[in-house]
Every structure is written in structure tokens, then in C-alpha cells.
Amino acid sequence: MINSTALSFRPITMEDREAITAFTLPGNALNCDYAFANMCSWRFLYDSEYAVRDGFLFVRFYVEEKGHRHLAYMLPVGDGDLKTAIGLLGGDAESMGYPLLILGVTPELKIKINTLFPDSFTYIKERDFFDYIYLREDLATLRGKKFQPKRNHVNKFKKQYEYIYMPIHREIVSQCMEVERIWCRANVDENDRDDLAHEHRSMTFAMNHFTELGLSGGAIVVDGKIVAFTYGSPINSYTFGIHVEKADVCYEGIFSVINQEFASRIPAQYLYINREEDLGIPGLRQSKLSYHPVILLEKNAAVKRR
């Protein structure tokens, strides 16, 4: 096993955006976890760290597993010897006292790992963490019969309300966060309280460091009041990630409106929009499926056999 000291990890901070996106933006990973804004704004929960060596970006973090924290990694991103790079992860995990656990392994990456390390990993399919990926043009235009229900929601909203769309900027952050609080009150469940608190903390950090994280977003204003907002950032050069979408559910059709309005303003260079996972929440799964993803990105946990 290669000595683990070959990898020198450091906490992910806003100052690391250029160093990390130098690997992720030119890459082909569609996984929402490779978005720098996600890595940075959720670091408080996962203790995410990164290292750069031999043309690869390495990311490690901690996840909860049956009440215990477990060290995990993303598959290294870059050009070079992937077998050696995965070997470095194995050495690092061993030095930290954990079996090697790689998350977000797609079927394509699973084949690569199996080719390099035959019969060395056990794979666990994680349906709750599959990413929903759409054609940007589909979400922006809602053309075709399959999107008729969404067009109906949008048209009904437009008939009922006069509204304006505005890009998110510093002066409206507090109003956006009030919408988030309204959304939480409408959706809070005792079982979700911790998850919502974590999301609120991540969102607060992101909204207060919007430019530094490379985010862009927009809000819907009705009668001078913000009633919905959303934001996201690039995952790679042709895939844009939507990280947050919140609205006052008292306004029927508002989610369809904010979704389309923002999608129509995402630059045309982005072929795909990744709207992230459903986390096993039935209503969220139904909603994301109703937009007809062109890719339901399978993600697996790969555990090194001892």
C-alpha cells in the first residue's frame, strides 16, 4: 500500500474555489456533490477536505452511518493513473482506521473500478441519492405534451398574479431567507427537524457568500414581496446544478414558475440541469419525476473488501 503521507488534505474554504474547479469544471462528472458551492457550504456538516496530487483532485469527508461517523471519499477527478489514485485513497483510509468507502459511484465509474480492482469492492446502490438530470431546454421552455401539466400551473399563476423576476443580490437576501422560514413552517416534521436546521445553516452561508461561491439565482416578486427564490452553480462546463428552490406554498403554481424562470436564464452552454437528489422523500421524488429527467443518475457506495 502506498504511504498515506503522499496525500496532504486541507479543509475546503472559499479561497479554494479556483484550485478545486480547475479539476471539476473541465471534467465529465455530473454528480451534484462535485459542485464547489455544495462542497463549501456543507463543510460544517461533513468536515470536507481536499488534496491535489499527480494531476488529481481528492475529496474526503465524514458521513453518518448507523449513528457513527464514517470517513468517505469521492472518486478522484483528473487525468493520470486512476489505479494509483485509488490506491492513495486506500492508504489514507487505512491510516485513519477506516475501510475505504467511495460514494457517488456511477455505473460507468463502477466498471472502471472493477477493471482496475477486480472483485475488490462491494457496491451498494443508494436510490435516495440518485441525481435528477434534465435538459436545460426542457425546463426553460416546457414544450411538448408531457409538460402540459407544468405549463398549466405556470399559466394559472400568471393569470392570477402580476409578478416580476429579479436576480438574487445582497439587498434581498434577508427577504429570501424569510421565504425559507415560511417554507420550513409549512413543511416541518419532527423527524426532519435536524435536516432542516442543517439546510438552513448551509443556505445562510451560501446566501452570505453568494459571489465567492460562484452562485447565481433569482427570485419571484408579487406585490412587492418575494414569494420564491432559487440558486445554483456549475458542476462542469455543460452541467448546471440547482442547489436550492424555496417558495411560499400559499401561491399555487409558484414552484413551476420559479423553476422555469431560472432555467430560461441559465446560459445555453449548459446542456443539462442537475436538480439533485430526492433523499427518499416521497413528495419530492414524485415532483422531480414529474419533470421527466433525461438521466436518473445512479449512485453507489463502493466499500473496499478487507
Side-chain angles (χ1 to χ4, degrees), residues 43-285:
R43 190 191 176 278
F44 73 92
L45 185 62
Y46 300 111
D47 290 329
S48 309
E49 299 179 304
Y50 82 102
V52 173
R53 179 177 168 84
D54 298 334
F56 280 97
L57 168 72
F58 301 84
V59 177
R60 76 178 184 190
F61 49 97
Y62 287 87
V63 293
E64 288 287 329
E65 186 180 86
K66 297 178 181 178
H68 298 282
R69 275 162 57 90
H70 197 293
L71 186 66
Y73 301 83
M74 299 296 292
L75 198 70
V77 178
D79 296 318
D81 186 344
L82 183 59
K83 185 172 184 177
T84 297
I86 294 175
L88 287 169
L89 292 187
D92 188 73
E94 184 178 338
S95 74
M96 300 285 284
Y98 293 91
L100 177 57
L101 170 63
I102 305 174
L103 297 183
V105 176
T106 63
E108 179 185 4
L109 295 177
K110 181 178 173 180
I111 292 170
K112 285 186 178 181
I113 294 173
N114 273 335
T115 301
L116 297 172
F117 299 92
D119 303 317
S120 297
F121 285 85
T122 297
Y123 297 91
I124 304 166
K125 191 177 293 186
E126 299 189 301
R127 174 62 181 87
D128 294 351
F129 299 101
F130 285 16
D131 282 0
Y132 291 78
I133 299 174
Y134 310 82
L135 291 175
R136 178 196 54 80
E137 187 173 358
D138 280 351
L139 297 189
T141 64
L142 299 177
R143 289 196 191 101
K145 185 176 180 180
K146 64 184 179 181
F147 290 110
Q148 184 65 54
K150 301 300 180 185
R151 291 199 304 275
N152 290 343
H153 290 151
V154 170
N155 291 335
K156 184 175 181 180
F157 183 91
K158 288 181 176 179
K159 287 178 181 178
Q160 192 168 358
Y161 303 103
E162 289 188 10
Y163 74 93
I164 61 171
Y165 173 94
M166 67 167 59
I168 290 180
H169 53 84
R170 189 176 300 275
E171 286 71 23
I172 67 170
V173 165
S174 62
Q175 296 178 63
C176 290
M177 295 307 292
E178 178 57 29
V179 172
E180 193 266 342
R181 284 187 282 273
I182 292 171
W183 181 91
C184 279
R185 287 195 291 270
N187 290 273
V188 68
D189 181 282
E190 203 56 45
N191 296 325
D192 301 330
R193 196 171 293 276
D194 287 345
D195 291 337
L196 291 176
H198 294 324
E199 184 182 47
H200 179 80
R201 182 172 174 181
S202 169
M203 205 179 307
T204 300
F205 180 89
M207 294 291 276
N208 288 329
H209 301 92
F210 213 70
T211 302
E212 299 95 319
L213 292 173
L215 293 164
S216 59
I220 299 295
V221 182
V222 175
D223 294 330
K225 183 177 75 170
I226 291 176
V227 297
F229 73 97
T230 185
Y231 64 75
S233 68
I235 297 172
N236 62 28
S237 63
Y238 57 89
T239 308
F240 192 94
I242 303 294
H243 308 321
V244 163
E245 188 178 82
K246 301 292 182 184
D248 184 340
V249 294
C250 293
Y251 294 83
E252 187 179 353
I254 185 63
F255 277 105
S256 297
V257 173
I258 187 63
N259 188 312
Q260 184 186 29
E261 289 283 3
F262 186 44
S264 68
R265 290 167 172 83
I266 292 173
Q269 78 175 74
Y270 297 104
L271 175 64
Y272 297 121
I273 291 178
N274 183 328
R275 298 192 68 222
E276 304 194 350
E277 316 102 329
D278 63 37
L279 304 176
I281 302 169
L284 193 55
R285 180 168 296 185

